[in-house]
């Protein structure tokens, strides 16, 4: 027993040291990125790793205006919110169906959704572009909203289903005794209890939509409808000689994601851990 007590603090110190090292390793690129946004282009080219002589946020104002990031932010937020709404409704209903309803062959549907995640996305670019161009959806937000929703529903459904399996059936049966229909139980009992996993799914989907480049760069080629990721790509091509503005553009693109994770990390971790344990 005494040996265990002596090893406890030592093991804890080792674990904390490793975690601190890993955290520093992960945060170092972000810290360098942020510091370089406060420097001039000449300072960065002279010393890539260093502190600014006179820290200034002027790069943010210039990059925001010259990169038309106000429009790009509006487009990305609009697309992300629409996709989240579709995914939450579609994946939530599907997850409830396969987790709670006695549907014939529901294991087939679970396998079907899993199979939908196994195909690489680029396989469908050419036929989808042809079909969407025929019906006039190319260079519209609707094109990527449809693609993103269809791509993210399978994973989201399986994640939500894993969480729903752990909810006691007695709670739903109590709702039915009180007079709720099946949809009423889903809406008033199951969904409120599933808020942690729904918040997790919403965060994951929004991050995917925000960072996605391949589909957005293929279907959104007009500046007025570009997303942040494609706007950043074009901005780097236009300002490739100004490293300060490129660093700043990268920080502007990453900023909302970092803020979201910091604000919603508790719900994000709770949803993942509860879903993992209950599944």
């Amino acid at each position: 027993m005494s040996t265990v007590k002596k090893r406890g603090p030592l093991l804890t110190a080792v674990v904390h040291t490793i975690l601190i090292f890993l955290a520093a390793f992960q945060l170092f690129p972000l810290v360098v990125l942020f510091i370089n946004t406060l420097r001039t282009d000449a300072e960065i080219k002279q010393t890539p790793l260093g502190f600014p002589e006179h820290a200034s946020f002027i790069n943010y104002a210039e990059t925001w205006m010259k990169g038309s990031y106000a429009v790009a932010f509006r487009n990305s937020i609009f697309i992300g919110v629409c996709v989240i709404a579709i995914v939450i409704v579609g994946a939530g209903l599907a997850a409830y169906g396969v987790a709670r309803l006695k549907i014939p062959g529901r294991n087939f549907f679970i396998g079907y959704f899993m199979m939908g995640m196994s195909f690489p996305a680029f396989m469908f670019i050419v036929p989808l572009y042809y079909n969407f161009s025929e019906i006039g959806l190319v260079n519209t937000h609707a094109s990527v909203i449809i693609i993103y929703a269809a791509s993210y529903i399978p994973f989201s459904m399986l994640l939500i289903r894993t969480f729903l399996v752990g909810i006691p059936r007695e709670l739903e049966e109590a709702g039915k005794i009180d007079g709720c229909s099946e949809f009423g139980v889903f809406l008033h009992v199951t969904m409120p209890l599933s808020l942690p996993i729904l918040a997790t799914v919403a965060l994951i989907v929004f991050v995917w939509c925000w960072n996605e480049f391949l589909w957005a760069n293929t279907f959104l080629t007009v500046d007025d409808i570009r997303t942040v990721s494609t706007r950043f790509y074009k901005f780097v091509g236009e300002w490739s000689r100004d490293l300060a503005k490129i660093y700043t553009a990268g920080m502007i693109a990453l900023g909302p994601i970092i803020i979201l994770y910091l604000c919603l990390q508790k719900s994000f971790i709770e949803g993942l851990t509860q879903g993992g344990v209950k599944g």
Side-chain angles (χ1 to χ4, degrees), residues 138 176 260:
V138 174
K176 293 180 181 179
L260 273 177

Side-chain angles (χ1 to χ4, degrees), residues 184-198:
V185 170
F186 166 78
L187 191 63
H188 299 293
V189 178
T190 308
M191 286 298 100
L193 293 173
S194 305
L195 287 180
I197 194 64
L198 295 180

Side-chain angles (χ1 to χ4, degrees), residues 116-216:
M117 297 187 297
S118 64
F119 296 100
F122 62 83
M123 289 179 56
F124 311 105
I125 288 182
V126 174
L128 276 178
Y129 190 88
Y130 174 79
N131 291 330
F132 279 15
S133 63
E134 287 293 314
I135 59 178
L137 285 181
V138 174
N139 282 323
T140 65
H141 289 152
S143 60
V144 292
I145 289 174
I146 294 172
I147 293 170
Y148 291 169
S151 301
Y152 303 152
I153 281 179
F155 171 81
S156 302
M157 188 281 291
L158 294 173
L159 192 61
I160 296 173
R161 174 196 168 273
T162 303
F163 187 92
L164 295 184
V165 168
I167 296 178
R169 291 182 178 271
E170 291 79 5
L171 298 174
E172 297 169 348
E173 292 173 356
K176 293 180 181 179
I177 293 174
D178 291 338
C180 284
S181 62
E182 195 70 53
F183 182 74
V185 170
F186 166 78
L187 191 63
H188 299 293
V189 178
T190 308
M191 286 298 100
L193 293 173
S194 305
L195 287 180
I197 194 64
L198 295 180
T200 300
V201 168
L203 180 58
I204 293 174
V205 169
F206 186 82
V207 172
W208 282 347
C209 292
W210 189 272
N211 293 331
E212 201 284 322
F213 176 79
L214 179 63
W215 294 103

